[in-house]
Amino acid sequence: MPRSLRFFDHTGDFGVVLEAPGLGGLAELLVRAFLELLIEVPAAVHERSEHRIELEGIDGADLLVALGNELVYLFEVEGFLAARLEVLRASETALCGVLHGDRFDPEEHPIARPVKAVTHHGARLEPVEDGLRARIVFDL
Amino acid sequence: MSRKQRKRRERRRQRARRRHEGRVEVPLCDPPYRGRVPLQRLDGLRWRVPRRGAMRVDGLVYADEALLPDLEQDRCLEQVANVATLPGIVGHSLAMPDIHWGYGFPIGGVAAFDPERGGVVSPGGVGYDINCGVRLLVADFDREALSGRMDELVGALFRAIPAGVGSRRAELAVDERNFQAVLRDGARALTPLGLARPEDLERIEEGGRIAGAEPERVSARALQRGRPQLGTLGSGNHFAEVGYVDEVHDAAAARAFGLREGRVTLMIHSGSRGLGHQVCTDALQGMLRAASRHGIPLVDRQLCCAPVGSPEASDYLAAMAAAANYAFANRQVMAHWAREVFDRFGSDLRTVYDVCHNIAKFEEHVVEGAARRLLVHRKGATRALPAGHPLLPPAYRAVGQPVVIPGDMGRCSYVLVGGAGSTSSFASACHGAGRLLSRAEAKRRYANSDVSAQLRARGVVVRGASRATVVEEVPEAYKDVAEVVHVVHEAGLARKVARLRPLGCLKG
């Protein structure tokens, strides 16, 4: 199943629909979606450092929301911009992986719009042919 | 073994496997409405969303014929019905005329829950930006004093009030002890530091301090996010706006508020920054589990909640109060810095009032003829106490509470006063104009426009931390606040006192 990422409008914010063969693939796409919303030129974020993450959730949708909020925290507190997620282990309730990215530099990485949180509003994970589809809404 | 038995056994195995893996089943229920929500006209300003499915009460929407098409553009009316499914809700699930699509709760929604009837607290009913709110200050001079100096003033405010990612003022050295005091005592903690005046405090909702805050219930992550951001504007729809009183509608109330035609004003719209967002994020994880444990069926996960009195509810309310206090202090620090700027321009700034837009508070209201202590959730709504209310400061007791309603960068804003009709809305009114266009749509339409230049042509100087934000916050992205305020005024929730016109705006 080909991976896909599609943004949709939410009155004050943005949402994204992700499709991938499995949860790990959805998590990788979510990292990309986050970067595309946050930074004007995502390609300017290089893979110069890394961050290991271990997350838990009550189910797959909750896990993706937790991943999104981890990205918010890492950006705001550590100044770390994730460009790519390398999934080491993914189950319905746990995700382990390495985020590859760069230290935020306002000159090199102009902000498009700060992402303040990743919400549970309408958060969904559902099976589709040959894979999974997730729907996540960002708070901007 | 029959096919039915095999299926049942398989379902049992699946449940056991999920329990083993730490999976929690979130109880979901069907939304009362999908798509078009039928509205029953009660009069020209009020519309009923009839009780259906899991709804426990009716919805009640304040709007007139002119605003209805805007309300039907997104899914906010479905959300009004969804909120009505929550346990312990009393009266109606209310929608103010600036309502638009939010997360779980609509923005512009008000709901009150009775703890004696299984009432709940829902972090989604407060929102991520806990105590996002607005402060109105008034200067000593009229707009003529700023003639030809708006670029200078807006530039000075832009340097004084940090806006945008990572910006802060290093000299605001709030040590650990003082930071804990901010979380516990809100704006009051800033008086000994010389950042707040006693007269500021009495003109802030709840005196600038929500009772029951327990800083120890705020997570380390929330503290890490919030501490460096104290005294910063933030982004999105947050702003500081210089304006002037363009028209007075109620001379007595305007006099009590210190407003008169031509007088320069400053509005600061901001909230609890990353600290509030993290408090909400932390609580939602626990509340999803709580909803499962208490068997509360949810239409939307963001509506997750816990009964008042449960450990999850108590934890959240204590942390929420701390975040709300942080927000009061945040706006106070920015007001202090704005005062320093205005001082250089030859004026003081006096606080007119500071109101919360996103909050849950225990308040006493009359329901079915009896006074009851309710947990009132306002998500994008403003408290609007009428004249004579005991919670009002002495200076405003005879006229009522100032209700500050920002519009957009190009048109106008309003100052209202709490009206006698607000007894039907748990003493609530609207909070702004309400979004009309999504951010994406605003970007599609105006990305190639020079929004700042267009506003300058209309006499408004704009400085933004990000060009994208200025485009997404273009005036046309909002409803006309005059139409929204008209409904609130006519319904008696709050009365018009003065109209403000913008002169300069600082966007986060």
Side-chain angles (χ1 to χ4, degrees):
Chain A
M1 178 196 198
R3 295 177 176 203
S4 70
L5 179 163
R6 177 175 57 81
F7 287 103
F8 64 89
D9 288 8
H10 184 282
T11 310
D13 304 282
F14 280 95
V16 66
V17 174
L18 312 167
E19 287 185 352
L23 190 66
L26 293 177
E28 290 167 9
L29 285 175
L30 184 69
V31 171
R32 209 175 92 200
F34 182 89
L35 192 68
E36 285 188 18
L37 276 179
L38 181 68
I39 301 294
E40 279 189 8
V41 188
V45 180
H46 301 292
E47 296 184 17
R48 290 176 175 134
S49 59
E50 56 187 47
H51 236 287
R52 189 182 168 90
I53 54 165
E54 288 187 26
L55 301 170
E56 290 181 356
I58 61 170
D59 57 21
D62 186 45
L63 198 55
L64 290 174
V65 172
L67 170 62
N69 284 313
E70 187 73 12
L71 299 174
V72 173
Y73 171 79
L74 288 172
F75 173 64
E76 243 182 65
V77 174
E78 315 253 338
F80 177 75
L81 275 171
R84 182 173 65 86
L85 170 66
E86 178 190 351
V87 175
L88 301 176
R89 227 172 27 252
S91 76
E92 225 180 350
T93 57
L95 176 71
C96 177
V98 178
L99 290 165
H100 299 271
D102 204 353
R103 183 151 190 85
F104 171 60
D105 175 346
E107 299 296 318
E108 205 178 340
H109 313 122
I111 295 289
R113 59 190 70 73
V115 178
K116 298 174 184 173
V118 178
T119 79
H120 290 271
H121 168 55
R124 266 203 311 271
L125 186 65
E126 57 194 9
V128 288
E129 201 181 342
D130 300 330
L132 292 171
R133 177 187 295 145
R135 180 189 182 279
I136 300 290
V137 173
F138 297 86
D139 176 41
L140 305 178
Chain B
M1 187 182 284
S2 70
R3 200 173 154 192
K4 208 171 176 181
Q5 285 171 320
R6 276 202 303 276
K7 272 192 165 176
R8 202 175 298 140
R9 190 180 65 178
E10 183 53 31
R11 276 201 297 271
R12 269 202 308 272
R13 280 180 177 169
Q14 277 180 1
R15 276 200 297 272
R17 197 162 55 236
R18 283 169 181 168
R19 271 198 301 274
H20 179 70
E21 288 171 352
R23 187 185 159 102
V24 174
E25 289 291 342
V26 178
L28 296 173
C29 68
D30 289 333
Y33 293 100
R34 277 200 177 98
R36 194 174 173 279
V37 177
L39 290 175
Q40 295 177 349
R41 182 190 169 102
L42 297 177
D43 54 39
L45 301 166
R46 298 181 310 147
W47 306 77
R48 190 165 79 97
V49 178
R51 191 170 159 180
R52 174 171 153 178
M55 288 171 75
R56 296 164 193 262
V57 295
D58 288 339
L60 183 66
V61 179
Y62 287 90
D64 61 9
E65 299 270 4
L67 283 172
L68 273 191
D70 295 342
L71 269 54
E72 287 167 339
Q73 264 192 18
D74 62 26
R75 302 178 64 185
C76 62
L77 296 176
E78 288 176 57
Q79 292 186 318
V80 174
N82 294 347
V83 170
T85 66
L86 294 178
I89 187 167
V90 296
H92 298 93
S93 167
L94 295 168
M96 297 295 124
D98 53 336
I99 182 181
H100 56 276
W101 193 15
Y103 322 125
F105 275 62
I107 296 166
V110 178
F113 299 88
D114 187 345
E116 300 297 318
R117 296 185 183 181
V120 293
V121 60
S122 173
V126 174
Y128 281 98
D129 196 359
I130 295 165
N131 189 7
C132 177
V134 62
R135 175 177 297 213
L136 176 69
L137 302 108
V138 62
D140 291 337
F141 51 41
D142 289 352
R143 62 183 294 218
E144 289 73 24
L146 291 175
S147 181
R149 301 186 72 189
M150 276 314 296
D151 278 297
E152 191 189 344
L153 177 61
V154 172
L157 288 170
F158 193 74
R159 286 187 294 279
I161 299 176
V165 174
S167 60
R168 58 182 293 202
R169 279 179 66 160
E171 73 269 30
L172 182 69
V174 176
D175 62 19
E176 182 57 32
R177 193 170 58 88
N178 284 325
F179 192 64
Q180 291 290 314
V182 161
L183 298 177
R184 204 173 44 246
D185 297 325
R188 292 183 191 197
L190 300 177
T191 312
L193 304 178
L195 298 167
R197 301 172 181 170
E199 60 268 29
D200 287 328
L201 303 180
E202 67 171 23
R203 289 165 191 233
I204 304 176
E205 188 168 334
E206 302 294 326
R209 172 185 183 269
I210 303 269
E214 294 180 32
E216 57 277 16
R217 309 275 183 117
V218 177
S219 72
R221 283 194 161 199
L223 298 173
Q224 281 177 306
R225 287 178 70 177
R227 195 158 162 186
Q229 294 176 342
L230 185 65
T232 63
L233 194 61
S235 57
N237 62 358
H238 291 165
F239 64 83
E241 182 178 290
V242 181
Y244 69 98
V245 179
D246 164 57
E247 192 174 31
V248 169
H249 299 269
D250 180 331
R255 202 175 310 115
F257 299 164
L259 302 172
R260 68 172 201 215
E261 267 185 39
R263 197 116 280 211
V264 169
T265 58
L266 178 74
M267 261 190 300
I268 299 172
H269 180 225
S270 186
S272 50
R273 310 285 285 108
L275 186 139
H277 277 76
Q278 191 65 43
V279 166
C280 182
T281 294
D282 295 340
L284 287 169
Q285 290 178 335
M287 291 281 181
L288 278 171
R289 288 183 163 83
S292 170
R293 197 165 46 257
H294 293 285
I296 300 172
L298 302 172
V299 177
D300 181 337
R301 285 174 173 230
Q302 195 80 12
L303 291 175
C304 61
C305 54
V308 174
S310 66
E312 296 88 356
S314 301
D315 280 349
Y316 172 68
L317 286 169
M320 182 213 70
N325 289 340
Y326 173 98
F328 283 137
N330 190 37
R331 293 194 288 275
Q332 178 64 47
V333 171
M334 288 185 278
H336 172 79
W337 285 332
R339 268 185 185 136
E340 291 181 341
V341 170
F342 270 70
D343 184 57
R344 296 202 296 274
F345 283 73
S347 173
D348 190 18
L349 279 174
R350 188 180 60 75
T351 299
V352 176
Y353 209 64
D354 184 307
V355 291
C356 314
H357 289 163
N358 291 352
I359 200 76
K361 285 196 299 186
F362 287 103
E363 295 175 354
E364 196 168 280
H365 293 279
V366 175
V367 181
E368 295 160 6
R372 280 149 68 173
R373 184 174 171 266
L374 306 173
L375 185 58
V376 180
H377 291 57
R378 294 191 183 93
K379 165 87 173 285
T382 313
R383 191 186 71 174
L385 298 177
H389 197 284
L391 288 180
L392 286 170
Y396 298 153
R397 199 159 291 160
V399 287
Q401 181 207 303
V403 178
V404 186
I405 308 296
D408 57 68
M409 291 189 283
R411 284 174 283 193
C412 60
S413 298
Y414 280 87
V415 182
L416 313 182
V417 63
S422 69
T423 48
S424 61
S425 63
F426 302 109
S428 307
C430 62
H431 85 307
R435 271 198 93 90
L436 189 58
L437 302 181
S438 69
R439 289 186 180 277
E441 184 59 29
K443 193 178 165 190
R444 274 192 286 276
R445 293 192 196 180
Y446 299 100
N448 297 322
S449 308
D450 189 339
V451 175
S452 296
Q454 288 167 4
L455 284 164
R456 183 177 284 275
R458 291 158 74 167
V460 184
V461 176
V462 176
R463 288 285 299 268
S466 135
R467 186 183 173 276
T469 302
V470 173
V471 169
E472 290 169 10
E473 291 289 311
V474 66
E476 290 74 12
Y478 287 87
K479 297 176 201 171
D480 183 350
V481 72
E483 289 183 19
V484 170
V485 161
H486 169 74
V487 172
V488 167
H489 177 89
E490 291 296 320
L493 306 183
R495 298 189 322 274
K496 285 192 262 188
V497 173
R499 185 174 67 191
L500 312 178
R501 292 276 184 202
L503 293 168
C505 190
L506 160 60
K507 291 294 296 180

